[in-house]
Amino acid sequence: DSVIRDIPTLVNLSLTIDQADIVTKLVTAFVIPNSLYNAELTDAVRQQARDTVAPVDVSYAADQNIVRRGQLITELGYEALEQFNLVAPSSSWQEVTSATLLTLLTLVYAIMYLRYHPELIAGNSGMRNLGVLAVLFITFLMITRLAIPGHAVIPFLFPIMAFSLIISALFSAELAIVAILPLVILSTFSLPDALSLDIYYIITSIFGVLALRQAQHVTSFFWAALAISLSGAAVAVVYRLLIPSFDWIGLATLVGAAVVSGVASASIALLMHFYSAQFLGTTTALQLIELSRPDHPLLQFLLRNAPGTYQHSLQLANLVEQAAERIGADALLARVGAY
C-alpha cells in the first residue's frame, strides 16, 4: 500500500498530467507482493537476535532501595522484585495501623483547638461552620491523594494552598495556619520525599495567608499568589540544589510549577470564597467593601434625597471606624453598619 501511494511521486515530471495518470494506473496494476510472511523463519530470526544479545546483570547491595514507595514500577524494577520474592502481597496491617493512628491524632488535634476556640462552633452557625471546614478539608485531602502520588512535578503544581487561603478569608489566619498542618501531613503520608513536600506546602501556605491578611481587596489575592509563587520557588530551589545530579531544566520546571500553583491557589480561593460565604450566610470583607462604595445604589439614593443625612452618615461612619480600631473590633463591618 505504501509503494502504491508513492507511485505518483516517481513519475517523470516531463510528462503531462494526463500522461502521468496513465503511467500511474499502468504501473499500479503490476505492483504485487513478492515477499510473503513466514512464521517459522521469523521466529528463528527473532531467536537468533536474542542469542546475540548478552545478558545484563544488575546487582543490589544490602539495604539498597529497589523501588521507593509511591514510585512507578518499571519492568526492570518489577523483575528485580520478582527475583527477591518481594512481589507477593504482604500484610498491610502496618499501613492500616499507621493511617488509623495518624487520623486519630488529627481528630485529637482538631478537638483540642475547638476546645480553646469554642466561638467557632457556637451559636446557630456553629454546625454550619464545622460542616464547611470538614467538607473543604476532606475534598482537598481526597483530590490531593489522587493527584500527586507517582509524579515528580504535579506535587509542586498542585494548588493545595488554596485551602488555607479560603479558611483565612472565611474565618481567620490563625485557623488557616492551624488547619493546613494536618491536611498537608495526611496528604503526603507514605509518599516518597514526604518531608520536602510537607515543608513546601506549609511554608507556601503560611506565606500566602500572611500576604492575604483579611482579604479586604481583590488585590489581596494577587499578593497572596505572588507570595506563594516566590516562597514555593525558593523552597524548590533549596531542595533541588541538594540533589547531586540536579539539572537546570528540572529546576526551572519546578520553579514554573510553583508559580502556576500560586496563581491557581489564589484563583480557586477567590472563587470558593464567595460561594462558601453565601452558604455560611456571612458577610465577607469583599462584600462589605462593595456595600461601602460611594456609587452603591442605596448611598446614591440617600445622597439625592437626603444630602444632609448622607453627610452626617459619612461623618458618623468615620467616627465609628476609628472607635472600632481602638477597641480591636471589625472596623470595616462597623463602618458599613454606620452607613
Side-chain angles (χ1 to χ4, degrees):
D1 293 337
S2 62
V3 173
I4 292 176
R5 286 194 299 268
D6 293 339
I7 289 177
T9 63
L10 303 176
V11 179
N12 197 315
L13 297 177
S14 63
L15 300 179
T16 64
I17 296 178
D18 294 337
Q19 292 173 343
D21 291 339
I22 294 175
V23 171
T24 301
K25 293 179 180 179
L26 289 174
V27 173
T28 301
F30 290 97
V31 177
I32 59 174
N34 57 3
S35 179
L36 301 177
Y37 176 73
N38 189 313
E40 296 180 357
L41 290 178
T42 301
D43 293 338
V45 173
R46 285 177 176 172
Q47 186 61 43
Q48 182 180 0
R50 292 191 188 99
D51 296 337
T52 58
V53 177
V56 178
D57 295 330
V58 179
S59 301
Y60 291 92
D63 298 328
Q64 178 181 350
N65 290 322
I66 300 176
V67 179
R68 291 184 178 274
R69 182 191 300 261
Q71 290 182 340
L72 295 177
I73 300 178
T74 61
E75 294 183 0
L76 180 61
Y78 189 80
E79 183 179 352
L81 293 175
E82 286 183 326
Q83 293 297 324
F84 288 105
N85 297 322
L86 298 174
V87 177
S90 58
S91 176
S92 60
W93 68 269
Q94 298 94 333
E95 293 187 7
V96 175
T97 303
S98 299
T100 303
L101 291 177
L102 187 59
T103 304
L104 291 176
L105 285 175
T106 303
L107 291 176
V108 173
Y109 177 81
I111 293 173
M112 291 181 64
Y113 179 81
L114 294 176
R115 179 182 178 185
Y116 290 102
H117 296 80
E119 69 279 359
L120 184 64
I121 56 176
N124 297 329
S125 61
M127 295 305 297
R128 188 178 298 179
N129 294 341
L130 192 60
V132 169
L133 280 171
V135 169
L136 289 174
F137 187 93
I138 295 174
T139 301
F140 272 89
L141 178 60
M142 292 179 61
I143 296 176
T144 306
R145 293 293 301 183
L146 292 175
I148 66 175
H151 299 280
V153 180
I154 291 181
F156 292 88
L157 189 67
F158 191 79
I160 194 175
M161 290 71 71
F163 173 78
S164 59
L165 297 182
I166 297 172
I167 300 302
S168 179
L170 290 177
F171 301 101
S172 66
E174 177 189 348
L175 179 59
I177 296 175
V178 170
I180 194 63
L181 296 178
L183 175 62
V184 168
I185 294 174
L186 290 175
S187 298
T188 61
F189 173 69
S190 75
L191 296 180
D193 301 329
L195 180 59
S196 59
L197 287 177
D198 288 345
I199 296 177
Y200 173 79
Y201 290 145
I202 292 174
I203 289 181
T204 52
S205 297
I206 293 176
F207 269 88
V209 169
L210 295 179
L212 185 64
R213 296 183 181 180
Q214 296 179 352
Q216 294 186 353
H217 305 279
V218 176
T219 54
S220 300
F221 288 89
F222 168 78
W223 291 114
L226 183 61
I228 292 174
S229 300
L230 294 179
S231 60
V235 174
V237 169
V238 167
Y239 277 94
R240 195 70 179 181
L241 291 177
L242 295 177
I243 301 177
S245 59
F246 90 97
D247 59 298
W248 292 105
I249 296 179
L251 181 61
T253 302
L254 294 184
V255 170
V259 173
V260 175
S261 178
V263 176
S265 297
S267 302
I268 295 173
L270 181 60
L271 181 64
M272 295 296 297
H273 170 250
F274 286 104
Y275 291 107
S276 301
Q278 292 178 1
F279 178 78
L280 291 174
T282 59
T283 305
T284 63
L286 292 177
Q287 292 173 324
L288 291 175
I289 292 175
E290 184 69 21
L291 292 173
S292 64
R293 291 176 55 184
D295 59 348
H296 191 278
L298 184 57
L299 293 180
Q300 287 293 313
F301 176 82
L302 188 63
L303 175 62
R304 289 191 298 267
N305 294 274
T309 304
Y310 175 78
Q311 294 297 329
H312 171 72
S313 299
L314 293 181
Q315 296 176 3
L316 177 62
N318 291 330
L319 293 174
V320 169
E321 183 179 26
Q322 296 177 24
E325 291 176 350
R326 289 293 186 89
I327 64 175
D330 191 338
L332 180 60
L333 177 62
R335 182 182 185 86
V336 176
Y339 283 153

